Amino acid sequence: MKQLPKPTIEDILEQKELCEGHYSELFARYRLDEEFYELEFGNRLNIPIEYAASAIVLPTGRDDVDTYLDHISLGNARIHANKKGTRDMDLVEQEMMRKFWLGLLYDNLVRADISPLRVCGKHFALHGLGVMGTFWDADMWPDKPLQGDTETEEEYSARLDQWRAETHFSIPIVLRAINPANILVDPGYGGRLYVIERKERTAFEVERQWPKWKRSAGGKSSTKVECLSYWDMKYRCELVGGEPVLRIKGGVVEHKYGFIPHTLIESGLGNLAKDAAPHKRYVGILRYMFDLLVSESRSY
């Protein structure tokens, strides 16, 4: 696939606006998916006023999604590593890599408040699309100590040994489930060229991750600001309130991952329609049951 040229901030903001328009109908369907999963559709029952107090919203839709999720085998992940050659050492290396990835998965599942695999699986069932992000978190890797001016070689060597021991227990690779409503994918054909992740965060959060970013005068720490994270095969950009926060000229940096860290997993319940409408492609199990769910609760 041909590599995109290095984008500018203006390019990224233009693509964000393009994607928001292109996926607007899909995002509206996502909101409906959540409304029926969270049983917040009582206002759609049209119950006569004298009986409204007795109206009950049945949890059928929620049960359907959770049952679908329970049928996805998320607790038995199997990992296979390819062997690079025919030597005995290649077989050893293959097994070592397989165990490393098993350890990485186990570490992420233990460290997370809730299993990212289960969260992704629920999005898969509810919206017809699960999104997993694989990121390097430098804050999880201990900083290599520097030798002090008055520190002897023996003392510094001892601190280096301690640092090496700490790094052996650190796996700074994070698996994160991302709500598909926060993802903007290039709407073109011929391969995925970029992904933009958008979310709202408080000024308090942003200032601690990006200390050089300053909130507007008079702004509160609880003020919400839009954060955009742009990734393509080669470049990355982080924008807060439309302003770049990476400490590099132009705000766009080469990330050296070699891939886009967002993996999109489709349910296959949708259809690649003639008009390529996203809301027909990304379909969860409730998408065409809304009227039935309303009718069932109204009748009950």
Side-chain angles (χ1 to χ4, degrees):
M1 184 177 66
K2 186 177 180 180
Q3 173 59 44
L4 284 171
K6 186 175 182 178
T8 64
I9 303 299
E10 291 73 20
D11 292 334
I12 294 171
L13 293 176
E14 285 179 4
Q15 292 301 310
K16 179 230 178 190
E17 291 182 9
L18 169 68
C19 289
E20 286 179 334
H22 182 75
Y23 292 109
S24 59
E25 180 62 29
L26 174 63
F27 293 149
R29 302 298 175 96
Y30 283 164
R31 288 191 290 273
L32 274 175
D33 292 339
E34 294 209 354
E35 178 182 327
F36 278 81
Y37 179 75
E38 300 297 343
L39 310 182
E40 296 172 347
F41 59 93
N43 60 321
R44 298 177 180 271
L45 302 184
N46 294 324
I47 301 295
I49 296 177
E50 59 267 30
Y51 304 115
S54 301
I56 293 177
V57 175
L58 296 175
T60 305
R62 191 177 185 94
D63 288 345
D64 287 347
V65 171
D66 291 343
T67 300
Y68 185 109
L69 174 61
D70 289 338
H71 280 80
I72 303 174
S73 181
L74 299 173
N76 299 288
R78 289 178 292 178
I79 294 176
H80 175 76
N82 292 324
K83 190 166 65 169
K84 296 181 179 180
T86 58
R87 302 174 304 163
D88 292 341
M89 182 56 67
D90 292 319
L91 186 62
V92 173
E93 183 179 345
Q94 177 193 26
E95 181 62 11
M96 180 177 65
M97 291 306 300
R98 189 185 71 84
K99 289 181 177 179
F100 169 78
W101 292 114
L102 278 172
L104 170 65
L105 180 60
Y106 176 79
D107 180 69
N108 272 270
L109 294 178
V110 169
R111 188 171 359 106
D113 295 329
I114 183 173
S115 167
L117 298 182
R118 186 166 181 85
V119 175
C120 183
K122 182 160 291 190
H123 294 155
F124 177 89
L126 179 60
H127 299 309
L129 179 65
V131 182
M132 288 293 296
T134 307
F135 303 97
W136 167 272
D137 188 349
D139 291 336
M140 296 174 61
W141 189 256
D143 292 331
K144 184 177 181 179
L146 300 176
Q147 186 172 8
D149 295 337
T150 59
E151 191 173 27
T152 65
E153 288 294 335
E154 291 76 11
E155 292 172 336
Y156 180 56
S157 178
R159 288 206 300 131
L160 277 180
D161 289 341
Q162 182 181 1
W163 170 75
R164 293 189 187 98
E166 291 175 356
T167 59
H168 290 166
F169 294 100
S170 299
I171 305 181
I173 301 174
V174 178
L175 301 179
R176 184 160 55 88
I178 304 169
N179 192 299
N182 292 337
I183 292 293
L184 300 170
V185 184
D186 71 291
Y189 296 91
R192 186 166 298 124
L193 298 180
Y194 63 81
V195 171
I196 299 174
E197 182 182 348
R198 59 175 186 171
K199 54 184 175 291
E200 284 193 339
R201 301 173 64 188
T202 64
F204 181 85
E205 292 179 83
V206 174
E207 286 176 334
R208 270 144 186 78
Q209 182 172 3
W210 311 106
K212 291 203 170 185
W213 181 82
K214 300 299 179 184
R215 72 184 84 157
S216 57
K220 297 181 179 180
S221 62
S222 58
T223 301
K224 293 289 186 71
V225 291
E226 183 182 57
C227 300
L228 299 178
S229 183
Y230 168 92
W231 294 81
D232 62 30
M233 291 290 289
K234 190 174 182 180
Y235 298 104
R236 171 195 179 192
C237 179
E238 301 289 335
L239 301 175
V240 176
E243 298 296 325
V245 291
L246 294 177
R247 292 180 291 178
I248 189 171
K249 184 178 180 180
V252 180
V253 64
E254 188 172 344
H255 57 68
K256 299 182 181 179
Y257 276 40
F259 59 89
I260 298 175
H262 301 82
T263 302
L264 277 63
I265 310 166
E266 298 185 37
S267 68
L269 298 176
N271 177 38
L272 288 174
K274 181 179 178 181
D275 59 359
H279 69 276
K280 297 178 183 177
R281 175 174 178 174
Y282 304 113
V283 174
I285 65 169
L286 301 184
R287 188 68 56 83
Y288 299 111
M289 294 172 54
F290 295 152
D291 290 343
L292 182 61
L293 294 172
V294 169
S295 177
E296 180 192 40
S297 290
R298 184 191 297 123
S299 298
Y300 188 87

